[in-house]
Amino acid sequence: MQLDELELGEPPAFEIGDKVQLRKLIKNDGTFPGQEVGAVLAKKGDIGYVVSIGTYLQSSYIYAVHFLQTGFIVGCRKKELELVEEAK
């Protein structure tokens, strides 16, 4: 990990309620219960809403995004998301 990847010194890039779009395909790495390893959880272009914000390895934010089409709530990193609309 490079020093510039340390996100926790800055505020989160997204806030709870923000509408976001996925920038890449997300597959189950074995941490999503009820789905096979390798199963597609969300596709590039899918739209969802940030429902919570956590951290990963004391270095980056993880955004729990609720994808309404599938009903899945998937943990995503900042680089996997782009803002569509800020929460009101």
Side-chain angles (χ1 to χ4, degrees):
M1 177 176 70
Q2 296 179 10
L3 193 54
D4 62 347
E5 292 182 32
L6 185 63
E7 297 175 29
L8 299 184
E10 301 292 324
F14 307 105
E15 296 295 328
I16 293 173
D18 283 354
K19 185 177 184 180
V20 293
Q21 182 174 20
L22 201 56
R23 298 177 69 187
K24 62 175 274 189
L25 179 77
I26 302 289
K27 293 182 178 183
N28 185 14
D29 62 1
T31 60
F32 194 94
Q35 296 292 318
E36 296 289 326
V37 172
V40 173
L41 300 176
K43 297 176 186 165
K44 182 179 180 179
D46 282 357
I47 302 289
Y49 292 87
V50 177
V51 294
S52 70
I53 302 169
T55 60
Y56 177 70
L57 294 179
Q58 300 178 340
S59 65
S60 58
Y61 291 105
I62 295 294
Y63 303 92
V65 178
H66 184 198
F67 294 99
L68 300 179
Q69 282 185 292
T70 62
F72 292 156
I73 298 174
V74 181
C76 301
R77 299 205 37 203
K78 177 176 79 171
K79 66 183 178 184
E80 298 171 329
L81 300 169
E82 59 189 7
L83 185 65
V84 173
E85 183 179 305
E86 290 184 4
K88 296 180 182 177

